Amino acid sequence: MGIATEEQRPAIVLPEVTLPEVTLRIGSTTRSTGAGTYHHINPATGVPDAVVPLAGAADVDEAVQSAHEAFAVWKATPAGTRARALLTLARLVEEHTAEFAALATADNGTPQATAAAMVGAAAEWIRYYGGWADKLPLGRVTSVAGAGGSFGHTLRQPYGVIGVVITWNAPLMSLAMKVPAALAAGNTVVVKPSELTPFSAMLFADLVREAGIPDGVFNVLTGGAEAGAALVSHPLVKKVTFTGGPDTARKITAACAQTFKPVVLELGGKSANLVFADADLDAAALHAAFMAFGIMTGQACALPTRLLVQDSIHDEFVAKVAAIAGSFKVGSPLELDTICGPVINQGAIDRIEAMVAQARNDGARILTGGTRLGGELADGYYYPPTVVADVDRDSELARQEVFGPVLAVMRFSDEADAVALANSTDYGLSGYVWTSDAKCAMRVVEQLETGEVVVNGAPNAVAERPFGGIGHSGTGNEGGLEGLEEFFWTKSVAYGTN
Ligand code: NAD
């Protein structure tokens, strides 16, 4: 497939966005050739719009060598200088909000209505870790000299080169959740964004340089699975941090196991949203609908994609959620009143259609949505917010991630039933609870088998709180002190004092 010709006219015409040239960024060099190419397709129009160079093993080796050499420089850079550079980067990202928002739309169809807020969130993450860079928790005293004793302390040290492999759903946010923490701790990075979303990383790389971060500290390799596999298994890559799906995570874990390389895995989810009868139902309904559909059109890992509702309020509450979801405008991501844009590609449409069809066969009821949109949206990948009620607890839709705008609704009888149902998948990323009973909230929070729980609409993905899953949702953390600690290894030191 080639780049769109003059004759190929999409039904939706997007205003001009100047797409950056996609290049490999290795040390001080940029180049537009690798081991192959990929044609990026704009999900809003279905039209190819850019050629993405795919890094090969030789490019990966060069980038890792560059990061390895830069490690000596960055590690020796005064902490205050590192902090100032990251804080400058945060400011620059904020100053380029409009450009990043436009690139997010070009990358993956993120609606403009939410794109700028996501850039703001990314800047907060960079600022947060910039703040840590000159206040690093570098160790603690473990023993003090006494009669026959020794003086001991720990020394936390950066690993060296970190391999960063990320997915396509929020490219800037994924960078912001991983890179600043790694750099604050003194590591250098080689980043492999998804080939599906190459643009945001280009502007980010420009700003990293403008912020005064030395060449080689941050390298970008656009590429696919081959580049990712070469990166994670490179002997000079000392730790890997990955965001993506469980199947890829298994391959990465197997590759890293060869040298016992540590890995952070941020994977998928099927997060439950428990709505008890005593909750603020209007607030809960708005939250349920917006979080399932209005954030990246349902394509984010931590979204509450299972809605569990107490029997006594089930019908009334679910009707409310379906009415709100049905009112969300689906369309061009560049129109400011669009809540749901396209999904990423035809593969996503196929997966969503198959899972909804299976749910229908399993006896579930589609309350709103349920059919791919045609007409002037037929060339892009548009699927409407779809609320599916009476989902069988053991069905595919109840247990597997859709990664699209499909909400699976189930009912529960009491607190014990709600917790059992919430804990009945292999995933363990996020949990959501709505109740006005503080004691119930505390009991449920304690029992949910997830990496995070948010109660009564608290915000997600804030920099100061650790975020990470258990089970098939992964291992390790991003965010908070825990996210910083992922980028140190600990040396235990003792001095004989007699
Ligand atoms: P994916 O696993 O297919 O791809 C993710 C990245 O891995 C891409 O950059 C890809 O090129 C690379 N890759 C593929 N094969 C590789 C290999 N063998 N070795 C190294 N790298 C390889 O994931 P996806 O389908 O693009 O993303 C969707 C998944 O990501 C969903 O499951 C979603 O829940 C998850 N996700 C998780 C989080 C989180 O923070 N927990 C955030 C966003 C998305």
Side-chain angles (χ1 to χ4, degrees):
M1 194 182 303
I3 296 299
T5 61
E6 287 292 311
E7 301 80 56
Q8 283 177 289
R9 291 198 182 282
I12 287 190
V13 180
L14 307 181
E16 279 300 299
V17 175
T18 308
L19 296 177
E21 187 191 359
V22 180
T23 51
L24 308 185
R25 311 292 185 98
I26 301 175
S28 61
T29 68
T30 62
R31 62 167 177 262
S32 52
T33 52
T37 54
Y38 171 84
H39 287 102
H40 178 266
I41 294 177
N42 188 319
T45 61
V47 171
D49 58 4
V51 177
V52 179
L54 298 177
D59 304 304
V60 172
D61 184 54
E62 195 182 327
V64 174
Q65 294 289 352
S66 153
H68 180 65
E69 281 161 28
F71 177 53
V73 175
W74 188 239
K75 190 180 163 189
T77 300
T81 307
R82 292 208 300 248
R84 272 195 299 282
L86 286 167
L87 295 173
T88 303
L89 178 62
R91 175 175 56 73
L92 290 172
V93 166
E94 221 156 41
E95 285 172 7
H96 289 76
T97 295
E99 276 165 274
F100 273 119
L103 292 181
T105 302
D107 261 330
N108 62 12
T110 301
Q112 281 292 299
T114 47
M118 287 177 62
V119 180
E124 283 306 316
W125 276 72
I126 302 167
R127 186 172 293 116
Y128 175 80
Y129 282 114
W132 271 116
D134 57 1
K135 305 167 198 69
L136 295 175
L138 290 175
R140 66 187 173 84
V141 173
T142 51
S143 59
V144 290
S150 60
F151 173 71
H153 65 90
T154 58
L155 187 61
R156 280 160 145 181
Q157 298 186 261
Y159 283 93
V161 182
I162 305 291
V164 178
V165 179
I166 54 178
T167 183
W168 48 264
N169 70 331
L172 176 63
M173 194 66 183
S174 284
L175 288 169
M177 291 172 84
K178 293 180 186 293
V179 172
L183 299 194
N187 303 278
T188 58
V189 298
V190 177
V191 177
K192 198 209 76 65
S194 168
E195 64 274 31
L196 303 180
T197 51
F199 303 126
S200 299
M202 296 296 109
L203 178 56
F204 190 82
D206 292 342
L207 301 184
V208 165
R209 181 174 282 179
E210 196 177 329
I213 293 171
D215 289 336
V217 171
F218 175 83
N219 305 272
V220 183
L221 296 169
T222 55
E226 185 193 339
L231 178 60
V232 301
S233 54
H234 196 291
L236 286 177
V237 170
K238 300 299 182 187
K239 184 161 184 173
V240 169
T241 175
F242 169 71
T243 298
D247 290 342
T248 309
R250 279 188 196 93
K251 292 180 194 157
I252 290 177
T253 305
C256 291
Q258 299 308 309
T259 52
F260 308 107
K261 191 178 292 183
V263 200
V264 171
L265 300 172
E266 296 293 350
L267 313 179
K270 190 79 188 179
S271 301
N273 186 4
L274 282 60
V275 181
F276 287 88
D278 60 3
D280 175 344
L281 296 184
D282 287 334
L286 192 58
H287 174 270
F290 190 73
M291 291 292 286
F293 307 115
I295 309 282
M296 293 177 260
T297 312
Q299 303 168 106
C301 53
L303 301 180
T305 53
R306 282 188 297 155
L307 178 60
L308 315 186
V309 187
Q310 194 154 24
D311 270 333
S312 59
I313 54 152
H314 177 277
D315 294 354
E316 173 203 354
F317 183 76
V318 174
K320 226 184 254 278
V321 173
I324 297 169
S327 74
F328 288 163
K329 179 179 164 188
V330 187
S332 164
L334 289 169
E335 288 167 16
L336 284 177
D337 56 346
T338 291
I339 305 286
C340 299
V343 295
I344 187 71
N345 56 20
Q346 182 61 42
I349 289 281
D350 294 345
R351 185 183 62 248
I352 294 165
E353 285 183 329
M355 290 184 80
V356 171
Q358 183 62 48
R360 274 199 181 97
N361 286 343
D362 292 341
R365 282 184 300 130
I366 313 292
L367 301 186
T368 186
T371 308
R372 181 185 181 167
L373 298 176
E376 65 165 11
L377 300 179
D379 293 337
Y381 309 113
Y382 293 91
Y383 200 90
T386 298
V387 177
V388 187
D390 299 336
V391 171
D392 186 301
R393 290 180 174 209
D394 295 321
S395 68
E396 182 191 36
L397 188 58
R399 291 172 176 268
Q400 298 305 323
E401 185 179 43
V402 180
F403 222 59
V406 180
L407 179 61
V409 184
M410 286 162 271
R411 57 177 76 227
F412 66 83
S413 52
D414 56 18
E415 192 179 307
D417 189 33
V419 169
L421 183 53
N423 288 340
S424 66
T425 76
D426 293 328
Y427 296 106
L429 195 50
S430 301
Y432 300 79
V433 183
W434 283 88
T435 176
S436 57
D437 178 349
K439 289 181 180 171
C440 165
M442 285 187 265
R443 285 191 302 268
V444 172
V445 162
E446 200 269 328
Q447 292 176 85
L448 288 181
E449 294 164 2
T450 56
E452 75 165 352
V453 185
V454 294
V455 180
N456 291 338
N460 302 65
V462 290
E464 66 268 22
R465 283 208 326 255
F467 171 71
I470 58 172
H472 287 203
S473 293
T475 178
N477 281 289
E478 290 166 348
L481 181 56
E482 289 82 352
L484 183 69
E485 286 172 334
E486 295 288 358
F487 295 108
F488 292 119
W489 55 282
T490 299
K491 184 180 284 175
S492 182
V493 185
Y495 304 85
T497 50
N498 290 329

